[in-house]
Amino acid sequence: WSEYFQDIEGDKKPAPKYNTRFKMLWDEQFLYILAELEEPHVWAYYNKRDMIIYHENDFEVFIDPDGDTHNYFEFEINAQNTVMDLFMPKPYRNGGKFDLGWNAEGFQSSVRVNGTLNDPSDIDKKWTVEMAIPFIALKVNDEYLVPIDGDHWKINFSRVQWQTEIVDGKYQKIKDTQTGRFLHEDNWVWSKQGVINMHLPERWGIASFSTQKVGSAKVEFVYHDEEIFGKYLWLVYYKQQDFKKKNNRFAFTLEDIGLQKEIITENGKTILLYLKTKNNGFKVFLENNMGLKLSINQDGLFQRTEK
């Protein structure tokens, strides 16, 4: 099993009221996910595909196969096994617009309730979700990735939980008596985001694909170099966004945002940063003495590159 979920903001908020955890498997065709959600009152009324499932309690999966923070996929399921799946060309913060018309070809799912669905008269134990996500469905420009041993994919899991009351024998989300709006939902996740926003893919966790059985002495999680050194590019990205908010433009030099071209990392490695700013955009390049070259631009597109 995974670790139990935490609040999306991490330690800023109390631990989740109910436990959530998952398991994963994979083969040449599918990524398989099993999630277990403790819940004393299991309810779900949305029953048509691509209804906005997070307006009810749900379980969510976010996948960015190549880790560039663009062209990623989202799956949401409620306790009726109603599915909402969508494609994001880039995050909302960078002007991305969701494609709800995208459907994952060959996607399979199943839900089991340990209790009774939509019955407020008793206490339930949990509900479980199973998914089989076909790799062929995760296409970008008619191309898709099939993982091999040792590959890393950016991934995260979320659970949306609303506060409810019982009205006329049905569960109903509670509204604030002053504003008339629904009380804020809880967002519980596997890898904390630090803020209430799942659409920051750089803050997701990492799935490491292995052909060895979990728990085997041969299985060891090792961060890839782009994950170790990529955080310095993200530092520039965030500093550039802050600079633009204050100055209505991006910085032209690293010194303007408090950084130097040459940085000694915490593991003693030397990296070099190069910033190019033009019009309303910028691109930052990183290279180290081991031949790694990475880049990031104003839209948060993170890539291996050749300078």
Side-chain angles (χ1 to χ4, degrees):
W1 285 106
S2 69
E3 305 90 342
Y4 285 119
F5 283 20
Q6 57 187 311
D7 189 87
I8 192 170
E9 295 185 87
D11 295 338
K12 296 178 184 178
K13 295 291 179 65
K17 191 175 182 179
Y18 309 122
N19 286 330
T20 312
R21 58 182 181 171
F22 67 90
K23 292 182 179 183
M24 289 193 290
L25 290 170
W26 67 293
D27 59 22
E28 293 85 356
Q29 293 180 292
F30 293 92
L31 174 64
Y32 303 95
I33 297 169
L34 167 68
E36 178 187 78
L37 300 83
E38 292 183 358
E39 175 61 72
H41 295 286
V42 181
W43 63 277
Y45 299 112
Y46 288 0
N47 58 9
K48 295 180 181 178
R49 187 167 188 145
D50 288 336
M51 296 182 78
I52 308 303
I53 299 300
Y54 63 81
H55 287 167
E56 297 189 334
N57 292 352
D58 77 353
F59 179 76
E60 306 176 353
V61 181
F62 298 80
I63 302 175
D64 180 11
D66 61 6
D68 66 355
T69 80
H70 286 209
N71 300 317
Y72 59 88
F73 306 88
E74 178 179 350
F75 301 87
E76 302 186 7
I77 293 182
N78 69 6
Q80 276 207 44
N81 195 28
T82 304
V83 177
M84 182 181 91
D85 49 1
L86 61 87
F87 170 75
M88 289 291 297
K90 56 184 176 180
Y92 294 114
R93 67 181 175 200
N94 305 116
K97 296 181 179 180
F98 66 86
D99 180 2
L100 199 56
W102 174 83
N103 288 328
E105 176 186 350
F107 175 85
Q108 302 172 53
S109 65
S110 179
V111 168
R112 181 170 181 173
V113 177
N114 192 330
T116 52
L117 180 66
N118 296 332
D119 184 356
S121 67
D122 64 358
I123 301 299
D124 307 313
K125 185 176 180 180
K126 64 183 178 180
W127 58 291
T128 56
V129 178
E130 292 180 86
M131 300 183 193
I133 302 174
F135 298 124
I136 194 173
L138 307 181
K139 292 179 181 177
V140 178
N141 298 323
D142 290 328
E143 296 183 358
Y144 62 94
L145 297 175
V146 175
I148 60 174
D149 186 51
D151 276 358
H152 282 186
W153 283 19
K154 294 292 287 183
I155 194 167
N156 211 349
F157 304 85
S158 174
R159 174 181 179 175
V160 172
Q161 188 78 9
W162 294 90
Q163 298 183 52
T164 60
E165 58 186 351
I166 300 169
V167 179
D168 296 329
K170 295 183 65 175
Y171 293 104
Q172 183 171 292
K173 293 188 293 186
I174 299 175
K175 290 185 176 181
D176 185 295
T177 55
Q178 294 184 336
T179 65
R181 297 177 180 175
F182 293 119
L183 297 180
H184 284 296
E185 77 280 9
D186 288 312
N187 296 273
W188 302 330
V189 303
W190 170 59
S191 182
K192 68 180 180 181
Q193 296 287 101
V195 295
I196 305 175
N197 185 354
M198 287 301 298
H199 291 272
L200 305 176
E202 71 275 12
R203 301 188 185 190
W204 296 350
I206 299 168
S208 178
F209 290 85
S210 174
T211 54
Q212 303 298 320
K213 184 178 179 180
V214 171
S216 165
K218 297 180 180 179
V219 177
E220 181 181 2
F221 183 89
V222 178
Y223 283 102
H224 290 177
D225 283 346
E226 55 261 42
E227 294 145 9
I228 296 173
F229 295 100
K231 64 183 180 181
Y232 295 97
L233 287 180
W234 283 107
L235 176 63
V236 178
Y237 172 84
Y238 281 113
K239 283 182 173 291
Q240 279 282 51
Q241 300 304 323
D242 289 341
F243 187 92
K244 186 176 183 181
K245 288 179 182 178
K246 297 175 183 177
N247 301 278
N248 202 33
R249 65 171 178 84
F250 291 118
F252 290 101
T253 68
L254 291 168
E255 289 76 10
D256 288 339
I257 52 176
L259 296 174
Q260 301 296 319
K261 176 181 178 181
E262 183 175 307
I263 295 177
I264 307 298
T265 67
E266 63 263 32
N267 58 5
K269 304 293 184 180
T270 299
I271 60 172
L272 298 176
L273 297 175
Y274 304 91
L275 171 63
K276 294 182 179 180
T277 301
K278 185 177 181 181
N279 299 327
N280 292 320
F282 70 87
K283 196 165 188 177
V284 187
F285 299 88
L286 176 152
E287 61 180 74
N288 65 12
N289 54 8
M290 297 176 289
L292 178 68
K293 294 181 179 180
L294 304 170
S295 70
I296 197 169
N297 69 5
Q298 72 282 346
D299 286 334
L301 180 61
F302 176 79
Q303 296 176 308
R304 276 184 174 267
T305 188
E306 291 296 329
K307 183 170 178 288

